[in-house]
Amino acid sequence: MKLEAMYQEIILDHYRNPHHKGLREPYDTEVHHINPTCGDEVRLRVKLDGAGGDARVVDVSYDSLGCSISQASASVATDLLIGRTVDEGMRIAAEFTALMQSKGEGEPDEDVLEDAVAFAGVSRYPARIKCALLSWMAWKDATAQTLSADPNASMEERVS
Amino acid sequence: MKLEAMYQEIILDHYRNPHHKGLREPYDTEVHHINPTCGDEVRLRVKLDGAGGDARVVDVSYDSLGCSISQASASVATDLLIGRTVDEGMRIAAEFTALMQSKGEGEPDEDVLEDAVAFAGVSRYPARIKCALLSWMAWKDATAQTLSADPNASMEERVS
Amino acid sequence: MTVLPRALDAEKVRADFPILDRTVRDGRRLVYLDSGATSQKPRQVLDAEREFYQRHNAAVHRGAHQLAEEATDAYEGARATIAAFIGAPPGEVVFTKNTTEGINLVAYAFSNAATAGPGFERFVLGPGDEVVVTEMEHHGNLVPWQELCRRTGATLRWFPLTDEGRLDLSGMDELLNERTKVVAVAHQSNVLGTVNPVRRIAERAHRFGAVVVADAAQSVPHLPVDVTELGADFLAFSGHKMLGPTGIGVLWGRAELLAAMPPFITGGSMIGVVHMDHTTWAEPPQRFEAGVPMAAQAVGLAAAVDYLTALGMDAVAAHEHELTCYALERLAGIDGVRVVGPLDAEARGSAVSFVVDGIHPHDVGQVLDDQGIAVRVGHHCAWPLHRRFAAVATTRATFYVYNTRADVDALAEGIGQAQRFFGTG
Amino acid sequence: MTVLPRALDAEKVRADFPILDRTVRDGRRLVYLDSGATSQKPRQVLDAEREFYQRHNAAVHRGAHQLAEEATDAYEGARATIAAFIGAPPGEVVFTKNTTEGINLVAYAFSNAATAGPGFERFVLGPGDEVVVTEMEHHGNLVPWQELCRRTGATLRWFPLTDEGRLDLSGMDELLNERTKVVAVAHQSNVLGTVNPVRRIAERAHRFGAVVVADAAQSVPHLPVDVTELGADFLAFSGHKMLGPTGIGVLWGRAELLAAMPPFITGGSMIGVVHMDHTTWAEPPQRFEAGVPMAAQAVGLAAAVDYLTALGMDAVAAHEHELTCYALERLAGIDGVRVVGPLDAEARGSAVSFVVDGIHPHDVGQVLDDQGIAVRVGHHCAWPLHRRFAAVATTRATFYVYNTRADVDALAEGIGQAQRFFGTG
Ligand SMILES: Cc1ncc(COP(=O)(O)O)c(C=O)c1O
Ligand SMILES: Cc1ncc(COP(=O)(O)O)c(C=O)c1O
């Protein structure tokens, strides 16, 4: 059974008890991302303080429909992102994306990714990578929109 | 060499010295048929006397561009059709069409088809059957148009 | 005395499918329950394709040499075989790459007719006209009609569904009326399994002169289908779902409609005469087959049809019916499992979609996959249908000629395993 | 010092093509000179397809089980292989069923743009706009543009030809102007063999913002083609002409144009979100690949590309160049034979079309066929070109990797045989 390699305890814990879940005020931008192959969705809000890469991520809140991997990933993402600067967050997101694309060969840096290292096993299952990335994509999108203050884009359905 | 089975002497004779070739007056209907796979063309005129199936085929004249088989077939067709009634002509045309579709298995009736029996070998070559039928199709079309006196259809390019 | 259909011997059938011998996920027996997405191929089909390439390959309809004759014979012979399979004359069968292309071909005919010139008025569509689909359609029989409406200004309407997963025909008398120009409906739903009463719908639609398109992607592979009995005007299906190769599909259409229909994809081999400034069209079916066609795949599909015919489509349907009954029974026996679709197997094919309380379909599918069981999870290209049943996604098992009761048992046990793993069972 | 390309060993190549061992017409050696219509397939390609079906077959992009992962990997791996072959990123490669579909896909984008909503304005076309083709186009790169003009009210214009069979570019400055929105041109003519200066045309067309479509059906199989060097915006070609399976083709397009292009065939797997009343699109290339794709054929085409890459496209081109020179020389030596197309082999591929005085091409082809020589006769889907050269039809020989000088000799002798038979030689 290789199931445990994918569904590490950490993942199941975050899935059962997600952190920072629920949509909160105040926020700058809300996005709605959808995985077109399975229909999973996340609504995610970002509140920043400051401008550019040095802006601080004051809050990330979300509501989502999806599988254990996408739920746990959203929970882990908020843990990692809240309180960082945008630049730091983007670096972590890049590291996590690289891990997901590593086909099980990645050697995650626990100092950077913390609980997110538990997703290493997911990268062996191509169909699940999008689940793990859904909320990260949404966060990147919402953050970019906030920084460029594009008022239109916020509420439309986006496909990750 | 099976070439001779296809290019019977009778066919080559008609090809080199076609009968009734050239467009003549008077005529009721002229049609222009084209073989879309190779571009071969025939312009064919029909002059009938009378109405319905008993009408007499007074003249069939034609001008054509095409291979030995299509040229010889036009020549043989005019030999067989001029002077017959429309009903007789249609019967001969049907017999000839059946022979062409016989895949080399047909046993042509020489009393009906006369020189046209020489085309039996052509039916083994699917790509050439249309050549042999081109002027027959044109004659059937021109005759039908004359009998129904459809004035529009006469000069457009038709595909056989 | 009724004659029972020959029974299908699934074990014997399995021996013809090399892929079923392989293992997955570290040595698990492959339990393939995803034939609704695409079927596996028997040796006979692969052999037919290879034989074509190794002996007769040439461009069909384009050469005067022996190989070209043989290739053309093989291609047109395949057309005749497939036409006979659905009770149609060969001239009414158009080869496409898949069901989706076939449906688009008809949809584009309706918008192209506006500029196609005389002879094609039958297909002109515009504002005020209505196109009717159903809420259970696969995207392949929904989006092309949405797009047609967008191009022409016609209005899209649809049949709703009952809670049981059947078409709700109660509003049919209003829905199908003098404005209705096209009715497009799945013969068998790829999610619910529901077999729709195409004939009844067609009879009403025809009163108003509407054209009826049946999406037969999930019916022709699984049921005996005769186009005359079905009553539709067009029928589209895919080779890859019926033991045939990928890259080949069929659009059947009534001869008089095909003749009145402007072309879709244009190019070589579908023309009458070509000038720089104008072109005329060949007769159907050539008019709709531009370019060098998928000849080897047509030959492969004909071999698949021969294979199915040898089994007997009645026997195929009976075999699937038995598996469906058994699967519905086994699933009913598992607490926390809800089937989305009819719970009885009448007028119902073998697609069995379900949700498991507390476990997302992706996670159900993952646990099944870990045991070698291949199912599909997601919206199965029927997103509006899933919204209707308030499900983001479902897990779907589909059965075919090579499936057995043991496969159903594996599925049921696998679901139990998922419940244990996620602590919900 | 110049590095000579590796020479191609045609005898060794022939051993990979089982069909070349067969005989035709009562025991004649097959001399296959019809690769311009479709090529033969090496064992390696047939093996790759079969291996896919027997080991990895599943619907790509649609499942979460192991077979679906493997099938998706195989399909996307094929895309990457083929993209690399033409110097493009994988995301710019769209799979189609053939060249014809690829060109139609672009042509329909221009008419669909009118109703496609925001984001697709780049492709809107209308009265006053001009679409430019050439008089040497294959129907597959002519009729779709005629039809586009018919749908949108745009005007079709074309480059004329010189008597030698080259594009007459003398009027280019007038022909390509601010009204020009599309320029569609064959990279290599399937009748004349002429290789057209796509880059030069594209440079002028791009000054006016026009989109340049190259029909590469006859170039990608025969020459090293790099999309960056070529300078076009779209490139279409067919697998079956380059040792690959039937039923698969490629449309390459620049990423920024693909992104701004509305879809053509709509249905499953090309969507973003689907509601009953509106739908959004996936990103390219998925946006243009509706329905279950021709996965096995993509894998087969990738194997064909690997085969050609192993031979080296420089070596392939050099081999064909040598055969073309030799064929032009042998044909020049026969009284009463006139080649339609350039008489020198510079900027010229291996399609050699000709007429024989006093013998119709059908009859020439028949005599050749009788000797086992497979050529094509007719207008080769380039009817306006034939009118331009006052020929109802021509006889065409085309060469590929498995042809030899002995095949050229057989052709020359066969023509002599035809002249003797018809008493003209
Ligand atoms: C120059 C050219 N363009 C387009 C085509 C069309 O290719 P296909 O029939 O594979 O779509 C061909 C070949 O038939 C060709 O030679
Ligand atoms: C009901 C139904 N319609 C249409 C399709 C589309 O078929 P294809 O993807 O082969 O075009 C499918 C399968 O995917 C289907 O199940």
Side-chain angles (χ1 to χ4, degrees):
Chain A
M1 267 273 265
K2 296 187 302 181
L3 270 188
E4 283 78 9
M6 168 150 175
Y7 294 111
Q8 305 237 340
E9 260 326 303
I10 300 179
I11 294 182
L12 293 176
D13 283 348
H14 275 277
Y15 169 49
R16 295 195 183 109
N17 302 300
H19 304 177
H20 305 105
K21 190 162 177 169
L23 293 169
R24 282 183 297 279
E25 307 272 350
Y27 67 96
D28 302 314
T29 309
E30 176 178 316
V31 297
H32 182 193
H33 274 229
I34 300 190
N35 178 342
T37 49
C38 65
D40 285 359
E41 312 186 22
V42 63
R43 260 176 219 284
L44 184 140
R45 293 178 177 178
V46 164
K47 172 74 196 153
L48 301 185
D49 181 13
D54 293 330
R56 181 97 16 214
V57 181
V58 175
D59 195 19
V60 182
S61 67
Y62 64 95
D63 196 11
S64 60
L65 267 176
C67 62
S68 57
I69 301 298
S70 74
Q71 303 283 340
S73 172
S75 170
V76 169
T78 52
D79 276 355
L80 281 164
L81 294 167
I82 295 171
R84 308 283 178 133
T85 66
V86 166
D87 276 347
E88 285 164 357
M90 290 291 172
R91 259 198 303 281
I92 300 170
E95 188 106 352
F96 186 73
T97 306
L99 177 65
M100 286 301 96
Q101 289 162 352
S102 70
K103 303 193 173 174
E105 307 293 318
E107 301 205 350
D109 183 342
E110 193 158 355
D111 287 345
V112 178
L113 291 180
E114 304 179 11
D115 277 6
V117 299
F119 289 81
V122 175
S123 70
R124 290 186 192 277
Y125 297 90
R128 305 306 295 277
I129 295 170
K130 281 199 168 181
C131 310
L133 289 175
L134 186 63
S135 48
W136 291 87
M137 296 294 195
W139 176 75
K140 288 204 292 187
D141 185 19
T143 302
Q145 284 183 41
T146 304
L147 292 179
S148 71
D150 173 350
N152 293 327
S154 52
M155 278 306 296
E156 81 184 21
E157 284 170 342
R158 291 244 173 167
V159 157
S160 301
Chain B
M1 269 273 265
K2 296 187 302 178
L3 270 187
E4 283 79 8
M6 168 149 174
Y7 293 112
Q8 304 238 339
E9 261 324 305
I10 300 177
I11 293 183
L12 294 176
D13 283 348
H14 276 278
Y15 169 49
R16 295 197 180 106
N17 303 299
H19 305 177
H20 307 105
K21 189 163 179 168
L23 293 169
R24 283 183 297 279
E25 308 270 350
Y27 68 95
D28 302 313
T29 308
E30 177 178 315
V31 296
H32 182 192
H33 274 229
I34 300 190
N35 178 341
T37 48
C38 65
D40 286 358
E41 311 186 22
V42 63
R43 259 174 219 285
L44 184 142
R45 293 177 176 178
V46 164
K47 172 73 197 156
L48 302 184
D49 182 13
D54 293 331
R56 181 99 12 219
V57 181
V58 176
D59 195 18
V60 182
S61 68
Y62 63 96
D63 197 10
S64 61
L65 268 175
C67 64
S68 58
I69 301 298
S70 75
Q71 303 283 339
S73 171
S75 170
V76 168
T78 52
D79 276 356
L80 281 165
L81 294 168
I82 295 171
R84 306 286 176 127
T85 66
V86 165
D87 276 348
E88 286 164 357
M90 289 292 173
R91 260 199 302 279
I92 299 170
E95 187 105 352
F96 185 72
T97 305
L99 177 63
M100 285 303 95
Q101 288 162 350
S102 70
K103 305 194 171 171
E105 307 294 317
E107 300 205 350
D109 183 341
E110 192 158 356
D111 288 345
V112 178
L113 291 181
E114 302 178 11
D115 277 7
V117 299
F119 289 82
V122 174
S123 70
R124 289 186 189 278
Y125 298 90
R128 307 305 296 276
I129 295 171
K130 280 200 168 181
C131 311
L133 289 176
L134 185 64
S135 49
W136 291 88
M137 294 296 194
W139 176 74
K140 288 204 292 188
D141 184 19
T143 301
Q145 284 183 41
T146 304
L147 292 180
S148 71
D150 172 352
N152 294 327
S154 50
M155 277 308 294
E156 79 183 21
E157 285 171 342
R158 291 243 174 169
V159 157
S160 298
Chain C
M1 201 191 90
T2 50
V3 183
L4 290 174
R6 268 167 302 165
L8 184 153
D9 181 348
E11 285 305 334
K12 221 174 120 207
V13 166
R14 292 177 67 85
D16 291 327
F17 291 77
I19 202 170
L20 298 179
D21 290 336
R22 74 164 275 185
T23 57
V24 289
R25 303 289 180 221
D26 297 336
R28 299 272 171 171
R29 173 174 96 88
L30 171 64
V31 178
Y32 189 74
L33 300 181
D34 197 19
S35 299
T38 201
S39 72
Q40 298 302 340
K41 328 296 176 201
R43 224 181 292 277
Q44 289 82 343
V45 166
L46 306 182
D47 288 347
E49 254 198 275
R50 188 155 188 140
E51 164 80 9
F52 175 82
Y53 281 131
Q54 293 198 344
R55 300 282 306 161
H56 313 297
N57 177 63
V60 305
H61 293 306
R62 294 199 174 192
H65 51 82
Q66 186 178 343
L67 290 188
E69 286 173 7
E70 292 176 7
T72 305
D73 272 359
Y75 182 67
E76 292 303 328
R79 194 194 304 276
T81 299
I82 293 157
F85 187 63
I86 54 168
E92 296 189 341
V93 162
V94 176
F95 284 120
T96 60
K97 66 177 172 178
N98 54 22
T99 303
T100 305
E101 185 192 345
I103 292 169
N104 275 269
L105 195 165
V106 181
Y108 271 98
F110 280 97
S111 49
N112 285 345
T115 52
F120 300 116
E121 297 81 359
R122 172 83 178 78
F123 278 82
V124 174
L125 203 73
D129 291 335
E130 293 177 359
V131 176
V132 177
V133 297
T134 86
E135 211 177 347
M136 69 167 75
E137 295 313 311
H138 187 280
H139 298 161
N141 196 34
L142 169 60
V143 188
W145 305 114
Q146 293 177 336
E147 289 299 292
L148 170 63
C149 290
R150 169 135 72 165
R151 290 194 298 275
T152 58
T155 302
L156 190 76
R157 303 187 64 192
W158 52 89
F159 283 99
L161 307 184
T162 68
D163 290 340
E164 202 211 347
R166 306 245 176 222
L167 284 188
D168 179 352
L169 298 178
S170 61
M172 179 160 84
D173 286 357
E174 190 281 321
L175 193 57
L176 303 185
N177 56 53
E178 34 309 303
R179 294 182 303 278
T180 312
K181 292 296 180 299
V182 187
V183 180
V185 50
H187 189 196
Q188 177 166 322
S189 161
N190 67 316
V191 178
L192 308 167
T194 313
V195 176
N196 290 319
V198 173
R199 193 187 177 90
R200 197 176 141 199
I201 296 169
E203 275 168 5
R204 177 150 179 105
H206 283 153
R207 268 199 250 161
F208 305 106
V211 167
V212 178
V213 181
D215 172 356
Q218 296 290 349
S219 63
V220 166
H222 301 287
L223 308 170
V225 172
D226 178 286
V227 292
T228 311
E229 279 175 31
L230 194 66
D233 302 303
F234 291 95
L235 195 76
F237 55 97
S238 295
H240 69 88
K241 290 190 202 280
M242 53 189 286
L243 312 183
T246 54
I248 181 98
V250 170
L251 176 72
W252 165 81
R254 284 186 201 285
E256 62 275 22
L257 286 173
L258 289 177
M261 207 159 96
F264 168 43
I265 296 182
T266 58
S269 302
M270 53 69 72
I271 53 91
V273 182
V274 179
H275 298 268
M276 283 311 284
D277 56 2
H278 77 279
T279 290
T280 62
W281 312 130
E283 294 302 312
Q286 273 69 41
R287 185 185 300 163
F288 306 104
E289 296 182 359
V292 170
M294 42 304 249
Q297 290 76 29
V299 168
L301 179 54
V305 160
D306 286 340
Y307 190 92
L308 288 169
T309 304
L311 292 179
M313 285 308 293
D314 284 325
V316 169
H319 175 73
E320 289 187 38
H321 182 73
E322 195 213 314
L323 292 178
T324 307
C325 291
Y326 185 54
L328 290 173
E329 179 192 320
R330 287 294 313 255
L331 265 53
I334 308 176
D335 271 352
V337 169
R338 174 169 66 97
V339 168
V340 177
L343 297 181
D344 67 296
E346 280 320 297
R348 188 198 199 293
S350 80
V352 177
S353 300
F354 56 93
V355 291
V356 182
D357 287 347
I359 316 180
H360 188 279
H362 258 186
D363 294 316
V364 175
Q366 195 79 43
V367 176
L368 293 175
D369 174 47
D370 198 60
Q371 296 166 73
I373 305 164
V375 294
R376 201 174 153 195
V377 298
H379 52 58
H380 319 305
C381 300
W383 207 328
L385 160 66
H386 278 77
R387 249 183 239 109
R388 163 66 178 82
F389 288 100
V392 175
T394 54
T395 304
R396 181 185 76 177
T398 45
F399 304 103
Y400 210 9
V401 291
Y402 33 66
N403 291 118
T404 62
R405 288 169 73 96
D407 294 341
V408 177
D409 291 331
L411 173 67
E413 282 150 28
I415 296 169
Q417 181 72 21
Q419 291 178 319
R420 282 188 296 280
F421 187 81
F422 285 99
T424 67
Chain D
M1 201 193 86
T2 50
V3 182
L4 290 174
R6 270 166 301 166
L8 184 153
D9 181 347
E11 286 304 334
K12 221 175 120 207
V13 167
R14 292 176 66 85
D16 290 328
F17 290 78
I19 203 170
L20 299 178
D21 290 335
R22 73 164 276 184
T23 58
V24 289
R25 302 293 180 217
D26 297 336
R28 299 271 170 171
R29 174 174 94 87
L30 171 63
V31 178
Y32 189 73
L33 301 180
D34 198 17
S35 299
T38 202
S39 71
Q40 297 303 339
K41 327 296 174 201
R43 224 181 293 278
Q44 289 83 342
V45 167
L46 305 183
D47 288 347
E49 253 197 276
R50 189 158 188 136
E51 165 81 9
F52 175 83
Y53 281 131
Q54 293 198 347
R55 300 282 306 161
H56 313 295
N57 178 63
V60 305
H61 294 307
R62 294 200 174 192
H65 51 81
Q66 186 179 343
L67 290 187
E69 286 173 7
E70 292 176 8
T72 305
D73 272 358
Y75 182 66
E76 292 303 327
R79 194 194 303 277
T81 299
I82 294 158
F85 187 63
I86 55 169
E92 295 188 342
V93 161
V94 177
F95 284 120
T96 61
K97 66 177 173 178
N98 54 23
T99 303
T100 305
E101 185 193 343
I103 293 169
N104 276 268
L105 195 165
V106 181
Y108 271 97
F110 280 98
S111 49
N112 286 346
T115 52
F120 300 116
E121 298 80 0
R122 172 83 181 75
F123 278 81
V124 175
L125 202 74
D129 291 334
E130 293 177 359
V131 175
V132 177
V133 297
T134 86
E135 210 177 348
M136 68 167 76
E137 295 312 311
H138 187 280
H139 298 161
N141 195 34
L142 169 60
V143 187
W145 303 114
Q146 293 177 337
E147 289 300 291
L148 171 63
C149 289
R150 170 139 65 167
R151 290 194 300 274
T152 58
T155 302
L156 189 76
R157 303 186 65 194
W158 52 90
F159 283 98
L161 307 184
T162 69
D163 290 340
E164 202 213 348
R166 305 245 177 222
L167 283 188
D168 180 352
L169 297 178
S170 60
M172 180 159 82
D173 285 356
E174 190 282 318
L175 193 57
L176 303 187
N177 56 54
E178 37 306 306
R179 293 183 303 279
T180 311
K181 293 294 179 299
V182 187
V183 180
V185 51
H187 188 196
Q188 175 165 323
S189 160
N190 67 316
V191 178
L192 308 166
T194 312
V195 176
N196 289 320
V198 172
R199 194 186 175 90
R200 198 176 139 199
I201 296 169
E203 275 166 6
R204 179 153 177 101
H206 282 154
R207 266 199 253 163
F208 306 106
V211 166
V212 178
V213 181
D215 172 356
Q218 296 291 346
S219 62
V220 166
H222 301 287
L223 308 170
V225 172
D226 178 287
V227 293
T228 311
E229 279 174 31
L230 194 66
D233 301 304
F234 290 95
L235 196 75
F237 55 97
S238 296
H240 68 90
K241 291 189 203 279
M242 54 190 286
L243 312 183
T246 55
I248 181 97
V250 169
L251 176 71
W252 165 82
R254 283 185 201 286
E256 62 273 23
L257 287 172
L258 290 177
M261 207 159 96
F264 169 43
I265 296 182
T266 57
S269 302
M270 52 72 70
I271 53 92
V273 183
V274 179
H275 297 266
M276 282 310 286
D277 56 1
H278 77 280
T279 290
T280 61
W281 312 130
E283 295 302 310
Q286 272 69 39
R287 187 185 300 163
F288 306 105
E289 296 182 358
V292 171
M294 41 303 249
Q297 290 77 31
V299 168
L301 179 54
V305 161
D306 286 340
Y307 190 93
L308 287 168
T309 304
L311 292 179
M313 285 308 293
D314 284 325
V316 169
H319 176 72
E320 288 187 39
H321 183 72
E322 194 213 316
L323 291 178
T324 307
C325 290
Y326 185 54
L328 289 172
E329 179 193 320
R330 287 295 313 255
L331 264 54
I334 308 175
D335 273 352
V337 169
R338 174 168 69 94
V339 169
V340 177
L343 298 180
D344 68 296
E346 280 321 297
R348 187 196 199 294
S350 80
V352 179
S353 300
F354 56 92
V355 291
V356 182
D357 288 349
I359 318 181
H360 188 278
H362 259 185
D363 294 316
V364 175
Q366 195 79 43
V367 175
L368 293 175
D369 174 47
D370 198 61
Q371 294 165 75
I373 305 163
V375 294
R376 200 173 154 197
V377 298
H379 51 60
H380 319 306
C381 299
W383 208 328
L385 159 66
H386 278 77
R387 250 184 237 108
R388 162 66 179 80
F389 289 100
V392 175
T394 55
T395 304
R396 181 185 76 176
T398 45
F399 304 103
Y400 210 9
V401 290
Y402 33 66
N403 291 118
T404 63
R405 287 169 72 96
D407 294 341
V408 177
D409 291 332
L411 173 67
E413 282 151 29
I415 296 170
Q417 180 73 18
Q419 291 178 317
R420 283 189 296 279
F421 186 83
F422 285 100
T424 66

